[in-house]
Amino acid sequence: ALWFAPLQVVAAIFLLWQEIGPSVFPGLAVIFAVLHINKRIAAATFRLQQKLLKLRDERAKLVRETLSGIKVIKLHAWELAFATRIQASRGAELAAMRTVTWLRAILSALFTCTPSIVAVAMLGAHALAGRDLTLKTAMTVLSAVSLLRSPLVFLPLVLQNVQEANLSLGRLSRFLNAEEYQPTSAGDLSGVGVAVDGGTFEWGGVDPQSDGGVVSNAAPASETPSQKHASHSQHSSTQGIGPAESS
């Protein structure tokens, strides 16, 4: 378990100190050096994971748009063009995934080899210090270092899960904290329609009796409303006059 790993590390270091004394420090130096290297690798992996998520979003968007417009694509014979775009997007995604996989493999390999390197560093420092390297000391050191193997092996997995959780939380946070959608209001309209303010409209046609002249259906500009009313009344009274019948 994750909470039990620190206890294992503390117990292993205590047993090593009781057995070989200051020769523990070279092994601790190796552990800190490997942790520093793995920190750099984890940071590079985090950046590549961010890039990978963007590439996945672009590829999914392209596939979705292609499927939604498949009828138009088939009618215009654009299959090869869209297939090339999708393959290029997928190729970039696979390249990023390949790099992330290599970095994770290096990270796991370093943590797996760290206990053996730590044991060699501690036993070598113990021998170089002029102390007797007996079978009892060697087996005790190897047994204590084996307690470090489990925390160091599971640490890359924990780092990977933390990175993925951090990326997911960041994406959810940006989505939930985005600005709310503001729908467009209907304005002064009480129903479905179009409102026009200050518009000018004209219409006209061609008189078939003329020589291609354009006749406008609009009223003359110089005619006043009273003149229009008078002409309309005169036209109505003229229509009402007919030939008188003889008695």
Side-chain angles (χ1 to χ4, degrees):
L2 182 60
W3 63 270
F4 190 67
L7 298 179
Q8 284 184 296
V9 173
V10 172
I13 294 175
F14 177 76
L15 292 175
L16 290 170
W17 179 265
Q18 292 292 327
E19 185 64 30
I20 58 177
S23 299
V24 175
F25 293 111
L28 295 178
V30 172
I31 292 175
F32 287 121
V34 172
L35 289 175
H36 180 71
I37 295 173
N38 289 329
K39 180 181 178 182
R40 296 292 185 89
I41 297 176
T45 306
F46 181 76
R47 291 192 297 268
L48 282 173
Q49 283 180 339
Q50 288 181 325
K51 180 181 177 182
L52 180 60
L53 289 177
K54 292 180 180 179
L55 291 174
R56 284 177 177 173
D57 291 341
E58 292 177 0
R59 192 255 307 166
K61 179 181 178 181
L62 183 59
V63 172
R64 184 170 58 252
E65 290 177 352
T66 303
L67 293 177
S68 62
I70 191 65
K71 290 184 179 180
V72 178
I73 294 173
K74 296 291 288 184
L75 287 174
H76 291 83
W78 290 341
E79 296 93 338
L80 294 179
F82 276 84
T84 303
R85 291 178 59 188
I86 294 175
Q87 289 176 358
S89 178
R90 180 60 176 170
E93 181 184 356
L94 289 176
M97 290 177 63
R98 192 177 297 111
T99 306
V100 170
T101 304
W102 274 105
L103 289 176
R104 287 180 175 178
I106 294 172
L107 190 67
S108 299
L110 283 176
F111 275 111
T112 303
C113 297
T114 298
S116 300
I117 299 174
V118 169
V120 171
M122 290 181 179
L123 293 176
H126 184 75
L128 291 176
R131 299 185 179 90
D132 295 334
L133 183 58
T134 61
L135 181 60
K136 171 181 173 296
T137 303
M139 294 303 295
T140 303
V141 170
L142 292 176
S143 299
V145 170
S146 64
L147 294 176
L148 298 174
R149 185 178 298 275
S150 178
L152 293 177
V153 167
F154 285 103
L155 184 58
L157 301 177
V158 173
L159 291 177
Q160 293 174 11
N161 293 331
V162 169
Q163 289 177 354
E164 293 177 357
N166 189 16
L167 285 174
S168 300
L169 288 176
R171 290 165 64 88
L172 288 174
S173 177
R174 287 192 298 270
F175 175 76
L176 295 176
N177 293 328
E179 296 183 0
E180 296 293 337
Y181 171 72
Q182 299 293 337
T184 305
S185 61
D188 297 334
L189 294 177
S190 58
V192 179
V194 178
V196 179
D197 186 11
T200 302
F201 304 92
E202 295 180 358
W203 67 93
V206 178
D207 188 0
Q209 301 297 331
S210 63
D211 297 333
V214 178
V215 178
S216 176
N217 294 330
S222 60
E223 187 178 11
T224 62
S226 58
Q227 291 175 342
K228 287 194 291 183
H229 180 69
S231 61
H232 179 69
S233 300
Q234 182 180 1
H235 180 66
S236 300
S237 60
T238 304
Q239 288 181 345
I241 299 175
E245 295 182 359
S246 57
S247 57

